[in-house]
Amino acid sequence: MNQTLSVSRRQFLKASLAVTAGAAVFPTIVPSSVLGAGAPSKKIQIGQIGCGRIALTMDLPGIIKHDIARVVAVCDLDSKRLEHARKYVAGAYAKKQGSDKAVAVKAYGDYRELLKDPQIDAVAISTPDHWHSEPVIAAALAGKDVYVQKPLSMTLVEGRAVSDIVRARKRAFQIGSQQRSTAQFRIACEL
């Protein structure tokens, strides 16, 4: 038997509104991690450029220990260093979260590709000393905030270019010279 149900527009709207209102009051289960202070959208998404000794012993551990930021990508020309850093970061976050599952961390062989990633808010640069200025300038031009190891530049011209571009692009910027503030450096200067 073929029956056709006749529903007026007004009846349809009334029924739809009732369902919508009921859904708004019905509790929805949402993990606390998406709403609270630890929500992924509230963390600074960091890309690490350069994955050698300084990155692995100072910069990455320093970022990972703070909950306000999260390393989401690593970059190095050396594929072995790159993979080691990716595993290190993924493992550190898995351990921090109390899970044996690795966290997804993107890996890039070219820092310019990393800088194209719109998910990344800021970069930490731990490349060799003679290779700091260029990625800093590229990061600032890409709209990323920057933390870079010392020395910033090899020449005054490079340093002035970095300063001018970072300032013009209104990027947050820090040179990693905090070690120079520790007691042994102060005492050495006083001697």
Side-chain angles (χ1 to χ4, degrees):
M1 180 184 277
N2 190 3
Q3 291 184 1
T4 313
L5 184 60
S6 176
V7 178
S8 72
R9 182 172 172 244
R10 178 167 289 177
Q11 290 171 324
F12 174 77
L13 289 173
K14 189 175 179 183
S16 296
L17 286 173
V19 168
T20 304
V25 213
F26 188 74
T28 305
I29 299 172
V30 178
S32 63
S33 63
V34 299
L35 299 174
S41 62
K42 294 183 180 178
K43 292 183 187 269
I44 302 166
Q45 306 294 303
I46 307 283
Q48 173 68 47
I49 300 173
C51 298
R53 180 181 55 85
I54 296 297
L56 290 170
T57 61
M58 298 175 78
D59 295 344
L60 287 170
I63 295 167
I64 290 168
K65 75 179 178 181
H66 295 286
D67 289 331
I68 194 168
R70 184 170 187 288
V71 178
V72 296
V74 292
C75 176
D76 201 287
L77 291 171
D78 182 324
S79 61
K80 288 181 182 176
R81 280 185 178 182
L82 179 62
E83 183 57 17
H84 179 69
R86 189 194 63 73
K87 286 179 180 177
Y88 170 82
V89 173
Y93 283 121
K95 183 178 178 183
K96 192 173 183 179
Q97 294 171 358
S99 167
D100 60 350
K101 293 184 178 181
V103 176
V105 177
K106 295 177 186 174
Y108 296 91
D110 186 331
Y111 75 90
R112 293 168 293 207
E113 293 302 313
L114 179 145
L115 294 176
K116 290 178 186 176
D117 187 339
Q119 179 189 10
I120 296 172
D121 302 312
V123 295
I125 300 173
S126 312
T127 54
D129 289 352
H130 68 282
W131 193 246
H132 288 170
S133 297
E134 189 168 322
V136 169
I137 290 171
L141 291 172
K144 313 295 184 195
D145 295 323
V146 178
Y147 171 86
V148 62
Q149 282 294 334
K150 62 196 168 312
L152 172 61
S153 66
M154 295 284 105
T155 68
L156 289 173
V157 173
E158 279 181 354
R160 178 55 37 216
V162 169
S163 177
D164 292 345
I165 291 169
V166 166
R167 183 169 286 150
R169 293 298 176 126
K170 297 182 175 153
R171 301 316 322 155
F173 177 75
Q174 181 182 354
I175 299 171
S177 59
Q178 58 272 39
Q179 181 187 31
R180 300 296 188 251
S181 306
T182 58
Q184 67 267 28
F185 283 97
R186 182 182 52 76
I187 294 166
C189 289
E190 288 173 1
L191 291 175

